[in-house]
Structure formats: structure tokens, C-alpha cells
Amino acid sequence: MITRLTPQDASFYRLESSSNPIHIGSLAIVRNADIGAGGQVLDYDRLVDLVEARLSLVPRYRRKVREIPFALGRPVWVEDSCFDITYHIRRSALPSPGTDGQLHELVARLASRPLDQTRPLWEMYLIEGLSDGRCAVFTKTHSALVDGDTALEIGHVILDASTSPRGIADDAWRAPREPRDTELLVGALTHLAAQPREALEVFRDAGSGAFGVLGATGKAVDSVIAAVRAATIGAPDSPLNARTSRNRRFDVVRTDLEDYRKIRKRFDCSINDVILAVVTGALRNWLLSRGEALTDPTTLRAVVPMSVYVEDALGDRLEPASEVSSFLIDLPVGEPNPVMRLSHISHATEANSKHRRGVRARTLVHLAGFAPASLHAMSVRAASTFAEHTFNLVITNAPGPQTPMYIGGARMLEMYPVSPLLRNQASSIGITSYDGRVFYGLNADRDAMADIGVLAASVHESMEEMLGAGI
């Protein structure tokens, strides 16, 4: 099956470079000690079998990108005739008993490596040797591969709600013959003959070599007047904006969902607002640790492509909404009062709620499984619709299930997003709630953010400050 990349898919594919990997990552930590049997629940062979059985749910994971000869059209997805699942699923180990710090360093190095563009654009690592009978599964998928609507992230489908993996019908996939270049060329010319407007764009782009992410995504996402007005104003100067390398640092933060609910109830706001207020306080403390001069009006501008948290009447359940929305928001890092920071943010998110850029997420909210990985991928897509000079960082936030989930029978304990850095962005913050906890994944440029650990510690400080406010 040959499918042409959408304009936004093609934009992300072109955006990748050796110094700018554009893949979405997720890190799941699981309890892997079978106390009764004295062995492991999840090993490499079991993981390969599990993923292979679920590939029918994410068929694009068996497809690779092929360029059209002479650049006469957008690239296409084609079935990989030499698909080898053991190339994509790999095994790594820490010196036992491996520490969390060693795991984070390994994830940073794995996240730094670009994907092989001659094969389907994903990799998965089983990382063994963690202390306390744990292991980790790290997945990275090119942003062009996941759109959240018709193509999901593989982490979305390999989790189950019980220790017994659900059965999936065999799709009897067989590797087909790949199309020749001449076939791709004829197909592209036929398509262009039926689409004269697209033909003019292709010939123009072929002449200039211009495949800008904004131009292509602008065709895929409707413009919103209020967002465009905001985007004309440059973001404040910040150490978060710097020339970056391909090398990364990674750190995490673990917090309790109940703390956010307490603050939400006390100040009659949303959980999204509380999360942003905690992040704002953490960024404030981090800036102060760097000796940055902050005054009351000082702000950082974040592009916040948030999937909205929907709570039930009792506030006991969190679910993703049917779209991922994005907007620019000024985070009041100069405000010393945590209650005032929350108030500013609450008013800003309410004002922006009518002017968000929405991206459909209907497929992932109706499919059983763990949605955050796909939601974070969609969030990065939404963030890319803003010009790079208009914001300081990207914050993605996606709700997960509040009951335990399992990978091949092994219980998942923690889950962290590993969001990519957009151009000249020194850090990204991905946030996911799961099983009563809220997990932060902090991805950063290795040189520009050597103090990412300070930002991680500042999240806890900010949370304590918020919990003590207004008492």
C-alpha cells in the first residue's frame, strides 16, 4: 500500500537533521520481578512477540518513507519489504543494580541518535538491570509517523489493563514487493495531473528546495486570528532559547495527583492551571539559580499544546478530550506570589480557550489503551504551527489512566514523555498523569542545559510552595 505523506508529515520529515532529531520518546518503567516464580515477567522475546502481535493496530510501523524521483511530490509511505522487527526492538542493560540516574543518562544518549531513514522510523529498547527488580521500555518514534488520528504511537497499543495481554486478530501481513522509482514517478505525475494547484506548489518547492514547516503546516491547520496576532510578538529573551546540538540530557520528576486536586479545589481552577502554575514556579526558581534578574512583569512564553483534562462529576477520573489544543501563554515567572501566579495563568487559559488551535484526536480517545504517547506526539505537531521566535519553550500535558497498566504482564510503575526539542529550544517539558501520580519528563540540550537537575528539583519546591499557599 502506497500512501502520500500529508503536508504536515512531510514537514516533520524534512525538519529532521543530524543536530535536530524530531522523534517522540516515551519511557515506561515496569516491575519485572515475578516474586512467586523467582524470574522475570517481561524479557526480550516476550516483548518482541507482544509488539509483533500489535503491529496490525499501528500498520505504519511497518512502512518506510520513499522519496519521489526529482522531488516531484511529497514522499510516500511504502511497506518495508525487508521489515525486521528485531532491528527495531533492541536490548540494553545497565550495570546491575542500575540507578535511575544511569537510566536517565542512557535515555539521553538514545534520544540523541537520529533514526535510520532507510527503515520504518521507530525503535524500542528493553533496558534491563534496574534496581529493585525493575526494567524499562524506551520507545522513540519519528514525529512524521504519528498523527494521533489515523496513526497512533506504538506505546498506545502495547499496554493492557490486566496481567493477561488481550488477544489481537492476526492480520496475516506479508512483505510485499516495493515499488520501483519509475512506479513512484508515474504515480506522482498522475496525482499532480489531477491536482494542478498542488503541482504548482511542488514545482515551486522543487526549484527552491523550500519545505518549511510553517508553510506546510499552515495548509493543514486553520489559522486562528487571535493566535496569529500573538505570534507577531517575539518571545522574551531567555536562556531557554539557544543554538542546540543533537546531544541531550534527561531528568524526571514524580509528583502526586492528589496534591494538584487539593490546589484545584482550594482555588477553584482547573488541574491544567495548577500544573502550569507549578511549572512556572519551577522555572522562576531555576532562573533565579542562574542569577537572572527577575522583576514582577518578567514572563516566559510557552506554547502549550494541551490535551484538556476532563474530570467526572466526582473529580475521580481523568480522560482526554476529543482534540489537542494549543495556544501561547505568558508564564509570570517574575511574580513572587504563587497564588497570583496561579490567578494570572487561570485568567490567561480561560481567555485563550476560545482561540485555540485544535487537532483531532478521535481515534485515540475511542481506542482502548494508553493514550498519552499519541497525545504528546500530537501536541508537538500543534506546537510546530507557531514561529520559533514567538515562544521560549514547549510544555505538553496529557492525562493517562488512573488504574494500573501492564506490558506483557509486567506492571507499569511510571511513564515519562521524552518530547523533542524544536529548533533553538534548549528544553521541553512533557507531563503525564498515571495511576495517581503526575510524571514530568525534562528533555534538554546537553550544553545549554547542564543544570537540568536544578529545574527538576525546582518542580518539587514549587509544588511545596503552592500547597502552602492560601492556608
Side-chain angles (χ1 to χ4, degrees):
M1 180 179 179
I2 300 175
T3 307
R4 201 166 305 281
L5 272 67
T6 67
Q8 196 175 27
D9 291 343
S11 298
F12 277 109
Y13 183 70
R14 303 291 188 193
L15 192 61
E16 174 108 352
S17 69
S18 60
S19 62
N20 191 39
I22 305 295
H23 43 252
I24 300 291
S26 63
L27 175 66
I29 298 176
V30 303
R31 179 183 296 127
N32 201 30
D34 187 341
I35 298 175
Q40 292 185 338
V41 177
L42 183 67
D43 59 20
Y44 178 79
D45 291 337
R46 186 176 178 86
L47 181 61
V48 170
D49 290 343
L50 175 67
V51 174
E52 195 163 32
R54 303 288 168 87
L55 283 176
S56 61
L57 300 176
V58 283
R60 196 177 281 184
Y61 276 68
R62 288 190 290 226
R63 298 172 188 163
K64 63 183 181 180
V65 176
R66 286 275 301 277
E67 296 278 3
I68 304 298
F70 310 112
L72 291 178
R74 297 190 301 273
V76 294
W77 298 106
V78 301
E79 302 286 343
D80 182 7
S81 62
C82 299
F83 180 74
D84 177 6
I85 194 169
T86 59
Y87 175 85
H88 295 277
I89 302 179
R90 305 173 181 187
R91 191 175 187 176
S92 187
L94 300 172
S96 183
T99 66
D100 288 355
Q102 290 171 324
L103 173 64
H104 302 158
E105 177 65 22
L106 176 58
V107 168
R109 294 184 182 278
L110 295 177
S112 301
R113 299 174 186 170
L115 292 162
D116 182 353
Q117 295 197 346
T118 67
R119 296 175 179 266
L121 298 171
W122 66 280
E123 294 172 358
M124 180 180 291
Y125 294 82
L126 176 64
I127 303 171
E128 300 171 303
L130 269 174
S131 60
D132 301 322
R134 300 171 300 156
C135 72
V137 177
F138 174 63
T139 304
K140 63 181 189 180
T141 301
H142 200 289
S143 297
L145 194 151
V146 180
D147 63 17
D149 187 41
T150 59
L152 303 175
E153 202 271 347
I154 199 166
H156 191 122
V157 299
I158 65 171
L159 280 110
D160 295 287
S162 72
T163 55
S164 300
R166 65 190 187 278
I168 302 294
D170 184 5
D171 64 348
W173 182 85
R174 296 292 181 271
R177 178 184 69 83
E178 289 187 29
R180 301 183 183 92
D181 283 350
T182 53
E183 293 174 281
L184 294 179
L185 182 58
V186 169
L189 291 173
T190 302
H191 175 78
L192 293 177
Q195 303 288 337
R197 179 178 297 181
E198 184 174 335
L200 290 174
E201 294 173 356
V202 166
F203 288 123
R204 182 195 64 210
D205 290 341
S208 64
F211 273 89
V213 67
L214 293 177
T217 55
K219 300 179 186 69
V221 182
D222 291 336
S223 296
V224 178
I225 294 175
V228 171
R229 273 204 303 265
T232 61
I233 305 172
D237 290 336
S238 164
L240 289 168
N241 301 109
R243 184 182 295 275
T244 57
S245 68
R246 86 174 200 184
N247 298 314
R248 300 289 178 259
R249 294 182 188 272
F250 182 69
D251 210 336
V252 307
V253 182
R254 309 169 185 85
T255 58
D256 291 321
L257 179 58
E258 186 57 32
D259 288 338
Y260 297 87
R261 286 179 164 146
K262 289 177 183 177
I263 298 168
R264 175 189 63 81
K265 185 176 181 180
R266 184 183 307 164
F267 295 104
D268 190 26
C269 59
S270 72
I271 286 182
N272 282 334
D273 294 340
V274 178
I275 288 174
L276 279 180
V278 170
V279 171
T280 302
L283 289 168
R284 170 183 167 81
N285 293 340
W286 171 74
L287 288 168
L288 290 173
S289 75
R290 284 196 163 204
E292 296 286 329
L294 301 181
T295 61
D296 287 356
T298 302
T299 62
L300 289 177
R301 181 169 297 156
V303 57
V304 186
M306 277 194 179
S307 57
V308 179
Y309 282 78
V310 178
E311 291 197 79
D312 64 10
L314 299 177
D316 293 330
R317 250 186 348 146
L318 295 177
E319 298 177 351
S322 60
E323 71 170 18
V324 175
S325 303
S326 68
F327 53 89
L328 294 171
I329 183 170
D330 289 334
L331 304 178
V333 293
E335 172 57 60
N337 187 319
V339 177
M340 291 301 297
R341 290 198 295 267
L342 177 58
S343 177
H344 286 311
I345 289 168
S346 184
H347 282 95
T349 55
E350 183 178 0
N352 276 290
S353 64
K354 299 178 182 179
H355 304 295
R356 298 177 298 195
R357 301 185 182 186
V359 182
R360 291 177 303 170
R362 65 182 181 206
T363 302
L364 57 88
V365 298
H366 291 299
L367 179 66
F370 192 68
S374 295
L375 284 166
H376 283 286
M378 293 187 69
S379 294
V380 172
R381 283 176 169 251
S384 73
T385 67
F386 294 93
E388 66 179 76
H389 71 278
T390 61
F391 60 95
N392 300 114
L393 79 161
V394 176
I395 302 171
T396 64
N397 184 8
Q402 298 309 304
T403 55
M405 300 293 286
Y406 301 84
I407 303 177
R411 180 171 176 170
M412 184 171 71
L413 305 174
E414 305 167 21
M415 185 275 173
Y416 301 96
V418 188
S419 297
L421 305 186
L422 299 183
R423 186 176 176 184
N424 294 327
Q425 305 291 313
S427 183
S428 65
I429 301 176
I431 305 164
T432 289
S433 62
Y434 163 65
D435 198 18
R437 308 290 298 277
V438 177
F439 300 104
Y440 291 66
L442 309 179
N443 194 22
D445 182 76
R446 191 167 192 87
D447 297 326
M449 290 284 291
D451 55 351
I452 189 65
V454 175
L455 180 58
S458 295
V459 173
H460 290 295
E461 295 172 5
S462 180
M463 173 58 79
E464 291 300 318
E465 193 177 21
M466 287 297 305
L467 286 170
I471 298 178

